[in-house]
Amino acid sequence: MSGSKYAYVKSYETPDNLLPGTFIVVRLDGHAFHNLSQKHSFIRPNDERALQLMDNAARDVMDEFKDVVLAFGESDEYSFLFRKTTAVYKRRHAKILTTITSLFTSSYVFHWHRYFPETPLQYPPTFDGRIVLYPSAQEVRDYFAWRQVDAHINNLYNTTFWALVQQGGESTTQAHHTLKTKHEILFSRFNINYNSLPERFRKGSVLVKEDTPVEGEVPEKAQSLDTRDLNNSKTSSQVVLHHCDIIKDDFWDARPFLLSK
Amino acid sequence: MSGSKYAYVKSYETPDNLLPGTFIVVRLDGHAFHNLSQKHSFIRPNDERALQLMDNAARDVMDEFKDVVLAFGESDEYSFLFRKTTAVYKRRHAKILTTITSLFTSSYVFHWHRYFPETPLQYPPTFDGRIVLYPSAQEVRDYFAWRQVDAHINNLYNTTFWALVQQGGESTTQAHHTLKTKHEILFSRFNINYNSLPERFRKGSVLVKEDTPVEGEVPEKAQSLDTRDLNNSKTSSQVVLHHCDIIKDDFWDARPFLLSK
Amino acid sequence: MSGSKYAYVKSYETPDNLLPGTFIVVRLDGHAFHNLSQKHSFIRPNDERALQLMDNAARDVMDEFKDVVLAFGESDEYSFLFRKTTAVYKRRHAKILTTITSLFTSSYVFHWHRYFPETPLQYPPTFDGRIVLYPSAQEVRDYFAWRQVDAHINNLYNTTFWALVQQGGESTTQAHHTLKTKHEILFSRFNINYNSLPERFRKGSVLVKEDTPVEGEVPEKAQSLDTRDLNNSKTSSQVVLHHCDIIKDDFWDARPFLLSK
Amino acid sequence: MSGSKYAYVKSYETPDNLLPGTFIVVRLDGHAFHNLSQKHSFIRPNDERALQLMDNAARDVMDEFKDVVLAFGESDEYSFLFRKTTAVYKRRHAKILTTITSLFTSSYVFHWHRYFPETPLQYPPTFDGRIVLYPSAQEVRDYFAWRQVDAHINNLYNTTFWALVQQGGESTTQAHHTLKTKHEILFSRFNINYNSLPERFRKGSVLVKEDTPVEGEVPEKAQSLDTRDLNNSKTSSQVVLHHCDIIKDDFWDARPFLLSK
């Protein structure tokens, strides 16, 4: 019983190598995370445990893929940046995309109990992913700025929304309505100084693979749960977590290696 | 802080809708499962628990995607067949591929403890995936024949190899050598009648979504762990597990709906 | 001066092989032919010389590409059907598409003077092209039906429009307006029986590569200009021109080879 | 007879927009030009009329497409560079590729008689084409260097080969053999100083769209046949023909607009 007479079907697998010389960005999004957050009683408007679980999964991806030099996370999404010269998996589209999606998902489920020790996972959560190519450094910067602005807008909205519900006594339906009509008034009503909210919520998570810490910056203290970045035996570089601005020049100027060859 | 000046980067996301009117096949493969099987002491040459865990993850995929009408698994790989008329996710390539890869992975990790209650999972296992399009029913049949022949060849090899090691006292290096030079002699030496091995190992796993059981066939009794196929409240159709031949006509002739519109 | 240090740029040429097992349709469209027809005083609403020049270019394509078994032309467009098993140029997308576009264009310019002996070509006319894949015979039939219905609709419109202008004394602006508001009334006003117009205008041009003429059909008598189809020494099959219905079953039933393997 | 029931076939036309932010290079190659050159008695090793006809067709392309800023030709091939910001035809792959291929072909046939007044064209010549994307200026420069080195190597070979045949009295078979074994000796045998050959043959043709002539460079005097570049009324920029080195920095440094946004 030789398979040779059927092997022709393999010729239907078309090559899908990504254009060389471009930056590869992989973005993952949680699937139906509104439901997941309700079923597992996530804290509103931001659940730090859930965000840390995301950050941890992102670290696992960065530890596995040496050419991923930067990652940015907010809410239930995470973006990963490959060096533009990467030859990982011969730049095969599906191979890169599915391996990262699978590893992130696997890590998320595997480590769930560490971040939610009292809340057993009730069903398998999932993520979808996509790859976008950017030809130049400027476009990469604008991509990450786009995501961080999005984090800001979403967080501002959610913070206001849940203030209306939790402190203002509105129903969620009312709160949606209030936000549409009186966004700014309500924002001030609860005396919440938005800028004093934790950077994590306002800026999202920025994971950087760096050889040596950048002068004058103090990365977030490593979680007791996760000291890998301090004792990484695989490579000499460290994956460091920040919650900082990546829209202005400072972040990028201090790390020219991110966008270099 | 509007994101509008950065939103142009979204235009770099190119559409990736799959050609209409074609059968979509998604194939997942375990990543570095040789290592996974060693670290978790899988039984050689076949570990039924590991295979059932795969089957269970495949069921989760079929329960979630109503247009997946057939799946075939062997060893650490699984293939899924979508109806050719499916409009799932508007047939977007990355969306379909990553969601299935993620769900399968998530289910694998989530249910691990049910199939390996005494063997904790040590790290997050991963899968990669790909999509192949087939224009006609004949090509789909040949695809599945190709995978089942592959299952047969691999299982024949592995069964012989581990007989040499476990019963013949050879080292794995010797066994590899023996197989290359004296395949047939060694095969008979241990008095193993290959055809009496369980169908699961020789034929792989065939999951079919069927409205009513096909006359004259007895599907495998449902695992006590998993009675979803007998009590599926979501849809009136059942996902039924077989370990049967899918190369000859019988299987397909009895299920014309698999390749129809 | 070796080129080896620059040869890496060749790796940016990504493979573009078309999915095997699908019917390949190439459609060419005249670029700015409204202008071309005005500059060269094409007869309204249909210029038979211009249509014959198109048919002739299509024949040149069919003579060159043995796997093109059918072509359909109307106005300034032409569609070509490749057998689904064709391996021409290893099914490379750009190679097939550009070679056919170039040959059609080249033939159009080269033979212009034979069809317009008194009207010198004033500038180089151009065509654009695209490839569409169809998985099944039904879709191919529906594609050609779609084009023939389009030919009918366009010709009905143009015939009415030019009747209004040439016989009804309306300006072209008036005629456009009249058509929009009183299409049917005006159509009858000039006592033109649409169904008595030449089939060429109502049905378009159908070129078929056939081994032997189909019983009971009389193809158009070969133009004195072009007797290749009667004396084709390259192959035993002939390219025959029809102006017939390709929407109903008759045409296809009489030529099962068109959609077979 | 509405076409609506068939219009679904249009959905099989998949979008093919090229990645934004990349340089688009279109390369055309003559199809079977060895045969064309024999049938029309091209002068060996270089026929200046044939090269000028190619240059003229390339000019027509550059006149039509304002975003094509550079073109390079050698032998029977021509490459065109679009600005990286071009939005021509919404960057649709097939539309751009086929229109340029068609226009080049059409111009070649249309103007043949001006360059070969005594040699009627015997059949329609054809070209094929492809598109390659380059993300950065460096890759674009290396692409054109690659083609110019190729021009050099081919011309050196051909010049030597035809010296052996025309002056050395060898058969073409012998000449091929001689070249393989004694390349350098034969090259010197005919006292041909390669570097004194016309730049056109050694460097190929470089067409540049420039606003004002670059200081200190003297472009080739316009052909009496073609004075468009001196009197171009369409745009204020001129298409200027050079036969110069495009591998070193000088050419590019003097024209920063070629690789800028």
Side-chain angles (χ1 to χ4, degrees), chain C residues 7 14 28 32-33 42 47 49-50 59 80 86 94 97 121 131 154 156 160 166 205 222 225 232 237 246-247 257:
Chain C
T14 45
L28 305 181
F33 262 47
F42 281 16
D47 188 314
R49 301 164 302 171
R59 270 174 193 276
F80 299 92
T86 187
L97 177 57
L121 187 58
I131 280 180
N154 286 337
L156 178 56
T160 311
Q166 293 166 346
S205 295
L225 280 170
N232 193 321
S237 63
I246 57 174
I247 298 171
F257 61 91

Side-chain angles (χ1 to χ4, degrees), chain C residues 47-96:
Chain C
D47 188 314
E48 188 154 3
R49 301 164 302 171
L51 295 173
Q52 285 178 343
L53 176 56
M54 294 285 287
D55 293 348
N56 185 73
R59 270 174 193 276
D60 274 357
V61 168
M62 294 184 77
D63 284 345
E64 188 70 25
F65 289 89
K66 69 175 177 49
D67 287 345
V68 174
V69 292
L70 180 68
F72 175 75
E74 57 143 334
S75 182
D76 64 346
E77 77 164 52
Y78 236 102
S79 297
F80 299 92
L81 172 67
F82 278 90
R83 288 176 208 290
K84 79 175 182 181
T85 53
T86 187
V88 61
Y89 298 145
K90 293 181 184 166
R91 299 178 73 93
R92 282 185 289 146
H93 190 153
K95 179 83 171 176
I96 295 169

Side-chain angles (χ1 to χ4, degrees), chain B residues 181-246:
Chain B
T181 54
K182 308 176 194 172
H183 189 170
E184 290 166 327
I185 298 173
L186 287 165
F187 181 60
S188 55
R189 193 173 107 193
F190 301 99
N191 204 26
I192 294 174
N193 183 349
Y194 181 79
N195 290 325
S196 68
L197 287 179
E199 294 270 307
R200 170 186 280 281
F201 305 151
R202 287 185 297 120
K203 300 296 185 192
S205 296
V206 181
L207 283 170
V208 195
K209 197 172 281 174
E210 27 201 4
D211 291 339
T212 55
V214 169
E215 287 287 329
E217 288 191 358
V218 183
E220 177 177 285
K221 200 155 56 80
Q223 309 298 321
S224 60
L225 279 169
D226 188 350
T227 56
R228 270 173 302 179
D229 53 337
L230 300 178
N231 299 289
N232 194 320
S233 58
K234 272 197 200 157
T235 73
S236 63
S237 63
Q238 295 183 339
V239 176
V240 185
L241 175 65
H242 301 271
H243 305 294
C244 64
D245 179 281
I246 57 174

Side-chain angles (χ1 to χ4, degrees), chain C residues 15 38 154 231 239 251:
Chain C
Q38 285 190 319
N154 286 337
N231 299 288
V239 176
F251 174 81

Side-chain angles (χ1 to χ4, degrees), chain B residues 113-160:
Chain B
H113 71 95
R114 289 170 55 201
Y115 295 88
F116 290 93
E118 328 242 306
T119 312
L121 187 57
Q122 295 178 42
Y123 61 87
T126 57
F127 296 84
D128 61 58
R130 77 183 64 205
I131 279 180
V132 194
L133 299 179
Y134 290 107
S136 76
Q138 186 58 51
E139 290 149 336
V140 171
R141 285 201 43 181
D142 289 348
Y143 173 82
F144 283 98
W146 180 52
R147 300 324 301 149
Q148 193 168 61
V149 169
D150 187 76
H152 163 76
I153 291 171
N154 287 337
N155 188 54
L156 178 56
Y157 184 94
N158 289 332
T159 302
T160 311

